[in-house]
Amino acid sequence: MSDDTSHAELASILGENGTLARTLPGFRFRPQQLAMAQAVAQAIALRQPLVAEAGTGTGKTFAYLVPALLYGGKVIVSTGTKTLQDQLFERDLPLIRDALVVPITVALLKGRANYVCLHHLERTAREERLPSRQDARYLPKIVAFARATERGDRAELADVPENAAIWPMVTSTRDNCLGSNCAFHRECFVMKARKEALDADVVVVNHHLFFADVTLRDEGLAELLPACNTVILDEAHQLPDTATLFFGEQTSSSQLAELARDAEAVARTELRDIPDLPDAGGALTPLIRKLRLAAGETPGKFAQPVVAARSDFVDALDALAAGVDRLAGEMQLVAERSEDVAAIARRADAAAIALARWRAGIGDDDAAGDQWIRWVDVSLAGFQLHASPLSIADVFRRQVEDTGRAWIFTSATLAVGRDFSHYTAQLGLGDAQTGCWDSPFDYKTQGLLYVPRGLPPPNSVEHTNAVVDAAVPVLKASGGRTFLLFTTLRALNTARERLAGHFERDGLDYPVLVQGDGSKSELLLRFRALGNAVLLGSASFWEGVDVPGDALSVVVIDKLPFAPPDDPLLAARLAKLAADGGNAFMQWQLPQAVISLKQGAGRLIRTETDRGVLMLCDPRLVDKPYGKRIWQSLPPMRRTRELADVTAFFNRDETGGG
């Protein structure tokens, strides 16, 4: 099909009096949407990559779905969040399919941990050793659900919380799945979901599942990708981090604890005649705990040389590696007993190899050359040992170039100004076509960008309190209806206390919701319903959050979201850039901060009728030479430094003006 033909057909569908305008209530013609759809159609026709930034309100999902359904052949759509995945599958795709009257079949494919595993459920029910009494109450509900359900998707079972400790015991992982050797292989819910996906024209997945296939060839898309003509990656700003995770290697305390638990379970049931075997699994648990303690009390990310300088850490790592080696050896001797035992032997062997590889870097500066960085992520609950590539550009570019299919990368935040070079360099997409379509919203009248005067430097101890002090008059002017977004949890907790003091002194009674006091979805439901609430959040509320209407009228951001320089992977990348003669700040730190800031700012104006104030509390936006580059990348709101302008903005709401 020629460009002219596809352009005319898309205009007849997405245009002012087109098919969607006639059939979908509330649909509005947006020139930006049509232009993006035409660019997507061209990328599909030429089987080439397109990097597309589409501002809030462009309608980018329709802009890529319409040409994909018409011209895309077999299509995989991957998203960064479950919210968008569900929206595409349950709402957008059926709407467009019905409006266009095209015989398209659609499947939703999730990672295997989302589906009940009949083998592990049967084993858990038989063994009856559960983490808590609550889990004992959940077990019969899951058993009944497994008998009644068609899909086996745990999201359908609302009676058992998403974070219940029993779920890992009744679902499978890549490590512990028995595959075709499983007695329940024919009834397997994962296999059913994979078959549906194989037969479908359009498959909706998420980035983790997509990259698990690209790197591991396991999670259900391995047969799909070769047959796929078009890959669409929405929320594509997340891809560099996700790809780095999957092109690297991780060994976590939870993964090792699960191995220990499964080894103990199989030793008690299938290997009771070998008295020492339960000890081999059980002995891992204190060794895992010992390594966590040796990593130090402070959670954070640490380069391998930092933790390796502590002799107790190296000793604990060696002891854990020896324990895993022992388990692998003992299980290998009895692997023929059953497929469960053989699977544990394979898992223990793989874990032993991964630990040895990570350990090999200690004291050997050349172990990974200058292309990899080893580091440990320490949390209160456990640890993850990482080996990460400094750059994924070459390996990802090969994925794109070797396939001969169209790749569409899209998000509201990919460029700095209209410059995509930072994003495309990370993914090796230097030759990709790029397109930038602005939001159709009238930001000059709908929004106000407020940078308060007199705030202390963002790295000073008094900064967070000063942010809250400056925000309180804005809260009063807006009547609550505010997100206070922070770059660190420490700042969030400081702000919570300071805000409580202000509310008590000033007699303010706006409901205050704080990240961690409930699930993200619960907090958002309450925020929308209350209509005058103040929500304090950090990273997880910067993106994928949609509160259209009057409930959200102010977004306060405490400081520019520069990644912490002590992050070992970032530090290594910056050092490499500097060593190669580049400007690490301008080429990496600033573009990353701009893209993150655009995500946070994008929470404010979600519809053509929304109005609101974006309050940025970082004086660097005004004081530093690079500040201009940052605010020029934000939506084109009217800018002010005066509180009086903020008050006047909200007074216009009350008087019906503006």
Side-chain angles (χ1 to χ4, degrees), residues 497-561:
E497 291 181 24
R498 185 77 166 191
L499 195 65
H502 274 287
F503 275 31
E504 191 175 335
R505 278 193 303 276
D506 297 353
L508 300 175
D509 59 355
Y510 307 126
V512 176
L513 308 175
V514 183
Q515 177 180 324
D517 288 356
S519 73
K520 182 176 173 180
S521 54
E522 283 170 37
L523 290 174
L524 287 171
L525 277 172
R526 289 174 61 197
F527 184 87
R528 292 186 191 105
L530 287 163
N532 68 337
V534 176
L535 186 147
L536 281 68
S538 67
S540 63
F541 284 88
W542 282 64
E543 62 177 279
V545 172
D546 194 16
V547 185
D550 292 339
L552 178 60
S553 294
V554 179
V555 170
V556 180
I557 293 177
D558 71 332
K559 62 178 74 170
L560 298 175

Coordinates of all heavy atoms in Angstrom, one line a residue, residues 497-561:
E497 N 6.0 15.3 58.5 CA 6.0 15.9 59.9 C 5.8 17.4 59.8 O 5.0 17.9 60.6 CB 7.3 15.5 60.6 CG 7.5 14.1 60.9 CD 8.8 13.8 61.7 OE1 9.3 14.8 62.3 OE2 9.3 12.7 61.6
R498 N 6.5 18.0 58.9 CA 6.4 19.5 58.8 C 4.9 19.9 58.4 O 4.4 20.9 58.9 CB 7.4 20.0 57.7 CG 7.4 21.5 57.6 CD 8.3 22.1 58.7 NE 8.7 23.5 58.5 CZ 9.5 24.1 59.2 NH1 10.1 23.5 60.2 NH2 9.8 25.4 58.9
L499 N 4.3 19.1 57.5 CA 3.0 19.5 57.0 C 2.0 19.3 58.1 O 1.1 20.1 58.3 CB 2.6 18.5 55.8 CG 1.4 19.0 55.0 CD1 1.7 20.3 54.3 CD2 1.1 17.9 54.0
A500 N 2.2 18.2 58.9 CA 1.3 18.0 60.1 C 1.3 19.2 61.0 O 0.2 19.6 61.5 CB 1.6 16.7 60.8
G501 N 2.5 19.7 61.3 CA 2.6 20.9 62.1 C 1.9 22.1 61.6 O 1.2 22.8 62.3
H502 N 2.0 22.4 60.3 CA 1.3 23.5 59.7 C -0.2 23.3 59.8 O -0.9 24.3 60.1 CB 1.7 23.6 58.2 CG 2.9 24.4 57.9 ND1 3.0 25.7 58.0 CD2 4.2 24.0 57.6 CE1 4.2 26.2 57.7 NE2 4.9 25.1 57.4
F503 N -0.7 22.1 59.5 CA -2.1 21.8 59.5 C -2.7 22.1 60.9 O -3.8 22.6 61.0 CB -2.4 20.4 59.0 CG -2.5 20.3 57.5 CD1 -1.7 21.1 56.7 CD2 -3.3 19.3 56.9 CE1 -1.8 20.9 55.3 CE2 -3.4 19.2 55.6 CZ -2.6 20.0 54.7
E504 N -1.9 21.7 61.9 CA -2.4 21.8 63.3 C -2.4 23.3 63.6 O -3.4 23.8 64.2 CB -1.5 21.1 64.2 CG -2.0 21.0 65.6 CD -1.1 20.1 66.5 OE1 -0.4 19.2 66.0 OE2 -1.2 20.3 67.7
R505 N -1.4 24.1 63.3 CA -1.3 25.5 63.7 C -2.4 26.3 62.9 O -3.0 27.2 63.5 CB 0.1 26.0 63.3 CG 1.1 25.8 64.4 CD 2.4 26.6 64.1 NE 3.0 26.4 62.8 CZ 3.8 25.4 62.6 NH1 4.1 24.6 63.5 NH2 4.3 25.3 61.3
D506 N -2.6 26.0 61.6 CA -3.4 26.8 60.8 C -4.9 26.3 60.7 O -5.7 26.9 60.1 CB -2.9 26.9 59.3 CG -1.5 27.5 59.3 OD1 -1.1 28.0 60.3 OD2 -0.9 27.5 58.2
G507 N -5.1 25.2 61.4 CA -6.5 24.6 61.5 C -7.0 24.1 60.1 O -8.1 24.2 59.8
L508 N -6.0 23.6 59.3 CA -6.4 23.0 58.0 C -6.8 21.6 58.2 O -6.2 20.8 59.0 CB -5.2 23.1 57.1 CG -4.6 24.5 56.8 CD1 -3.3 24.4 56.0 CD2 -5.7 25.3 56.1
D509 N -7.8 21.2 57.5 CA -8.3 19.8 57.7 C -8.4 19.0 56.3 O -9.2 18.1 56.2 CB -9.7 19.8 58.3 CG -10.8 20.6 57.5 OD1 -10.4 21.2 56.5 OD2 -11.9 20.5 57.9
Y510 N -7.5 19.4 55.4 CA -7.5 18.6 54.1 C -7.0 17.2 54.5 O -6.0 17.0 55.2 CB -6.5 19.2 53.1 CG -6.8 20.7 52.8 CD1 -5.8 21.6 53.0 CD2 -8.1 21.1 52.4 CE1 -6.0 23.0 52.7 CE2 -8.3 22.5 52.1 CZ -7.3 23.4 52.3 OH -7.5 24.7 52.0
P511 N -7.7 16.2 53.9 CA -7.2 14.8 54.2 C -5.7 14.6 53.6 O -5.5 15.1 52.5 CB -8.1 13.9 53.4 CG -9.3 14.8 53.1 CD -8.8 16.2 53.1
V512 N -4.9 14.0 54.4 CA -3.5 13.8 54.0 C -3.3 12.3 53.7 O -3.5 11.5 54.6 CB -2.5 14.3 55.0 CG1 -1.0 14.0 54.6 CG2 -2.6 15.8 55.2
L513 N -2.9 11.9 52.5 CA -2.6 10.6 52.1 C -1.1 10.4 51.9 O -0.5 11.3 51.2 CB -3.4 10.2 50.9 CG -4.9 10.5 50.9 CD1 -5.5 10.1 49.5 CD2 -5.6 9.6 52.0
V514 N -0.5 9.4 52.4 CA 1.0 9.3 52.3 C 1.3 7.9 51.7 O 0.8 6.9 52.1 CB 1.7 9.4 53.6 CG1 3.2 9.3 53.5 CG2 1.3 10.7 54.3
Q515 N 2.2 7.9 50.7 CA 2.7 6.7 50.1 C 3.2 5.7 51.2 O 3.9 6.1 52.1 CB 3.9 7.0 49.2 CG 4.5 5.8 48.5 CD 5.7 6.1 47.6 OE1 5.6 7.2 46.9 NE2 6.7 5.3 47.6
G516 N 2.7 4.5 51.1 CA 3.1 3.5 52.1 C 2.0 3.2 53.1 O 2.0 2.2 53.8
D517 N 1.0 4.1 53.2 CA -0.1 3.9 54.1 C -1.2 3.1 53.5 O -2.3 2.9 54.1 CB -0.7 5.3 54.6 CG 0.2 6.0 55.6 OD1 1.3 5.4 55.9 OD2 -0.1 7.2 55.9
G518 N -1.0 2.6 52.3 CA -1.9 1.8 51.6 C -1.3 1.5 50.2 O -0.3 2.1 49.9
S519 N -2.0 0.7 49.4 CA -1.4 0.4 48.1 C -1.6 1.6 47.2 O -2.4 2.5 47.5 CB -2.2 -0.8 47.5 OG -3.5 -0.4 47.1
K520 N -0.9 1.7 46.2 CA -0.9 2.8 45.3 C -2.3 3.0 44.7 O -2.9 4.1 44.7 CB 0.1 2.6 44.1 CG 0.2 3.8 43.1 CD 1.3 3.5 42.1 CE 1.3 4.5 41.0 NZ 2.3 4.2 40.0
S521 N -3.0 1.9 44.3 CA -4.3 2.0 43.7 C -5.3 2.5 44.8 O -6.2 3.3 44.5 CB -4.7 0.7 43.1 OG -4.6 -0.4 44.1
E522 N -5.2 2.0 46.0 CA -6.1 2.4 47.1 C -6.0 3.9 47.4 O -7.0 4.6 47.5 CB -5.8 1.7 48.4 CG -6.2 0.3 48.5 CD -5.6 -0.4 49.8 OE1 -5.4 0.3 50.8 OE2 -5.2 -1.6 49.7
L523 N -4.7 4.4 47.5 CA -4.5 5.8 47.7 C -5.1 6.7 46.6 O -5.7 7.7 46.9 CB -3.0 6.1 47.9 CG -2.3 5.5 49.1 CD1 -0.8 5.8 49.1 CD2 -2.9 6.2 50.4
L524 N -4.9 6.3 45.4 CA -5.4 7.0 44.2 C -7.0 7.0 44.2 O -7.6 8.1 43.9 CB -4.9 6.5 42.9 CG -3.4 6.8 42.6 CD1 -2.9 6.0 41.4 CD2 -3.2 8.3 42.5
L525 N -7.6 5.9 44.5 CA -9.0 5.9 44.6 C -9.5 6.8 45.7 O -10.5 7.6 45.5 CB -9.5 4.4 45.0 CG -9.6 3.4 43.8 CD1 -9.9 2.0 44.4 CD2 -10.7 3.8 42.9
R526 N -8.9 6.8 46.9 CA -9.3 7.7 47.9 C -9.1 9.2 47.5 O -9.9 10.1 47.8 CB -8.6 7.4 49.2 CG -9.0 6.1 49.9 CD -8.1 5.7 51.0 NE -8.2 6.7 52.1 CZ -7.3 6.8 53.1 NH1 -6.3 6.0 53.1 NH2 -7.4 7.7 54.0
F527 N -7.9 9.5 46.9 CA -7.6 10.8 46.5 C -8.7 11.4 45.5 O -9.2 12.5 45.7 CB -6.2 10.9 45.8 CG -5.8 12.2 45.4 CD1 -5.1 13.0 46.3 CD2 -6.0 12.8 44.2 CE1 -4.7 14.3 46.0 CE2 -5.6 14.1 43.8 CZ -4.9 14.8 44.8
R528 N -9.1 10.5 44.5 CA -10.1 11.0 43.6 C -11.4 11.2 44.3 O -12.1 12.2 44.0 CB -10.2 9.9 42.5 CG -9.0 9.8 41.6 CD -9.3 8.9 40.4 NE -8.2 8.5 39.6 CZ -7.5 7.4 39.7 NH1 -8.0 6.4 40.5 NH2 -6.4 7.1 39.0
A529 N -11.8 10.3 45.2 CA -13.1 10.4 45.8 C -13.2 11.5 46.8 O -14.2 12.2 46.9 CB -13.4 9.0 46.6
L530 N -12.1 11.8 47.5 CA -12.2 12.9 48.5 C -12.3 14.3 47.9 O -13.0 15.1 48.4 CB -10.9 12.9 49.4 CG -10.8 11.7 50.4 CD1 -9.4 11.5 50.9 CD2 -11.8 11.9 51.6
G531 N -11.6 14.5 46.8 CA -11.8 15.8 46.1 C -11.0 17.0 46.6 O -10.9 18.0 46.0
N532 N -10.5 16.9 47.9 CA -9.7 18.0 48.4 C -8.5 17.5 49.2 O -8.0 18.1 50.1 CB -10.6 18.8 49.4 CG -11.0 18.1 50.6 OD1 -11.0 16.9 50.6 ND2 -11.3 18.8 51.7
A533 N -8.0 16.3 48.8 CA -6.9 15.7 49.5 C -5.5 16.2 49.1 O -5.3 16.8 48.1 CB -6.9 14.2 49.4
V534 N -4.5 15.9 50.0 CA -3.1 16.2 49.7 C -2.4 14.9 49.8 O -2.5 14.2 50.8 CB -2.5 17.2 50.8 CG1 -1.0 17.4 50.5 CG2 -3.3 18.5 50.7
L535 N -1.7 14.5 48.7 CA -1.0 13.2 48.7 C 0.5 13.4 48.6 O 0.9 14.2 47.8 CB -1.5 12.4 47.4 CG -1.0 11.0 47.3 CD1 -2.0 10.0 46.7 CD2 0.3 10.9 46.5
L536 N 1.2 12.7 49.5 CA 2.7 12.8 49.5 C 3.2 11.5 48.9 O 2.9 10.4 49.4 CB 3.2 13.0 50.9 CG 3.1 14.4 51.5 CD1 1.7 14.8 51.8 CD2 3.9 14.4 52.8
G537 N 4.0 11.6 47.8 CA 4.5 10.4 47.2 C 5.9 10.6 46.7 O 6.4 11.7 46.7
S538 N 6.5 9.5 46.3 CA 7.9 9.6 45.7 C 7.8 8.9 44.4 O 6.8 9.0 43.7 CB 8.9 9.0 46.7 OG 8.7 7.6 46.8
A539 N 8.9 8.2 44.0 CA 9.1 7.8 42.6 C 7.9 7.1 42.0 O 7.5 7.4 40.8 CB 10.3 6.8 42.6
S540 N 7.2 6.3 42.7 CA 6.1 5.5 42.1 C 4.9 6.4 41.7 O 4.0 5.9 40.9 CB 5.6 4.4 43.0 OG 5.1 4.9 44.2
F541 N 4.8 7.6 42.2 CA 3.7 8.5 41.8 C 4.1 9.5 40.7 O 3.3 10.3 40.3 CB 3.1 9.2 43.0 CG 2.3 8.3 43.9 CD1 2.8 7.6 44.9 CD2 0.9 8.2 43.7 CE1 2.1 6.7 45.7 CE2 0.1 7.4 44.5 CZ 0.7 6.7 45.5
W542 N 5.3 9.4 40.2 CA 5.8 10.3 39.2 C 5.3 9.9 37.8 O 5.3 10.7 36.9 CB 7.3 10.3 39.1 CG 7.9 11.2 40.2 CD1 7.8 10.9 41.6 CD2 8.7 12.3 40.1 NE1 8.5 11.9 42.3 CE2 9.1 12.8 41.4 CE3 9.2 13.1 39.0 CZ2 9.9 13.9 41.6 CZ3 9.9 14.2 39.2 CH2 10.3 14.6 40.5
E543 N 4.9 8.6 37.6 CA 4.4 8.2 36.3 C 3.3 7.2 36.4 O 3.1 6.5 37.5 CB 5.6 7.7 35.5 CG 6.3 6.5 36.0 CD 7.3 6.0 35.0 OE1 7.0 5.3 34.0 OE2 8.5 6.3 35.2
G544 N 2.6 7.0 35.3 CA 1.5 6.0 35.3 C 0.4 6.3 36.2 O -0.4 5.4 36.6
V545 N 0.2 7.6 36.6 CA -0.9 8.0 37.5 C -1.7 9.0 36.8 O -1.3 10.0 36.2 CB -0.3 8.7 38.8 CG1 -1.4 9.3 39.6 CG2 0.5 7.6 39.6
D546 N -3.0 8.7 36.7 CA -4.0 9.6 36.0 C -5.1 10.0 36.9 O -5.9 9.2 37.3 CB -4.5 8.7 34.8 CG -5.2 9.6 33.7 OD1 -5.0 10.8 33.7 OD2 -5.9 9.0 32.9
V547 N -5.1 11.3 37.2 CA -6.2 11.9 38.0 C -6.8 13.1 37.2 O -6.4 14.2 37.5 CB -5.7 12.3 39.4 CG1 -6.9 12.8 40.2 CG2 -5.0 11.2 40.1
P548 N -7.7 12.8 36.2 CA -8.3 13.9 35.5 C -9.3 14.7 36.3 O -9.8 14.1 37.3 CB -8.9 13.3 34.3 CG -9.2 11.9 34.7 CD -8.1 11.5 35.7
G549 N -9.6 15.9 36.0 CA -10.6 16.6 36.7 C -10.1 17.5 37.8 O -8.9 17.7 38.0
D550 N -11.0 18.0 38.7 CA -10.7 19.0 39.7 C -10.0 18.4 40.9 O -9.4 19.1 41.7 CB -12.0 19.6 40.2 CG -12.6 20.5 39.1 OD1 -11.8 20.9 38.2 OD2 -13.8 20.8 39.2
A551 N -10.0 17.0 41.1 CA -9.4 16.5 42.3 C -7.9 16.7 42.4 O -7.4 16.8 43.5 CB -9.6 14.9 42.3
L552 N -7.2 16.9 41.3 CA -5.8 17.3 41.3 C -5.6 18.6 40.5 O -5.8 18.7 39.3 CB -5.0 16.2 40.6 CG -3.4 16.4 40.5 CD1 -2.8 16.6 41.9 CD2 -2.7 15.3 39.8
S553 N -5.2 19.6 41.3 CA -5.0 20.9 40.7 C -3.6 21.5 40.9 O -3.3 22.6 40.4 CB -6.1 21.9 41.2 OG -7.4 21.5 40.8
V554 N -2.8 20.9 41.8 CA -1.4 21.3 42.0 C -0.5 20.1 42.1 O -0.8 19.1 42.7 CB -1.3 22.1 43.4 CG1 0.1 22.5 43.6 CG2 -2.3 23.3 43.4
V555 N 0.6 20.2 41.4 CA 1.7 19.2 41.6 C 2.9 20.0 42.0 O 3.4 20.9 41.4 CB 2.0 18.5 40.2 CG1 3.3 17.6 40.4 CG2 0.8 17.6 39.9
V556 N 3.4 19.6 43.2 CA 4.6 20.2 43.8 C 5.7 19.2 43.7 O 5.6 18.1 44.1 CB 4.4 20.6 45.3 CG1 5.7 21.2 45.9 CG2 3.2 21.5 45.5
I557 N 6.8 19.6 43.1 CA 8.0 18.7 42.9 C 9.2 19.4 43.7 O 9.5 20.5 43.5 CB 8.4 18.5 41.5 CG1 7.2 17.7 40.8 CG2 9.7 17.8 41.3 CD1 7.4 17.5 39.3
D558 N 9.7 18.6 44.6 CA 10.7 19.2 45.6 C 12.0 19.6 44.9 O 12.6 20.7 45.3 CB 10.9 18.3 46.8 CG 11.7 17.1 46.5 OD1 11.7 16.6 45.4 OD2 12.4 16.6 47.4
K559 N 12.5 18.8 44.0 CA 13.8 19.2 43.4 C 13.9 18.5 42.0 O 13.2 17.5 41.8 CB 15.0 18.9 44.3 CG 15.2 17.5 44.7 CD 16.4 17.2 45.5 CE 16.2 17.7 47.0 NZ 17.3 17.2 47.9
L560 N 14.8 19.0 41.2 CA 15.1 18.3 40.0 C 15.6 16.9 40.2 O 16.4 16.7 41.0 CB 16.2 19.1 39.2 CG 15.8 20.6 38.8 CD1 17.0 21.3 38.2 CD2 14.6 20.6 37.9
P561 N 15.0 15.9 39.5 CA 15.2 14.5 39.8 C 16.5 14.0 39.2 O 16.5 13.0 38.4 CB 14.0 13.8 39.2 CG 13.6 14.7 38.0 CD 13.9 16.1 38.4

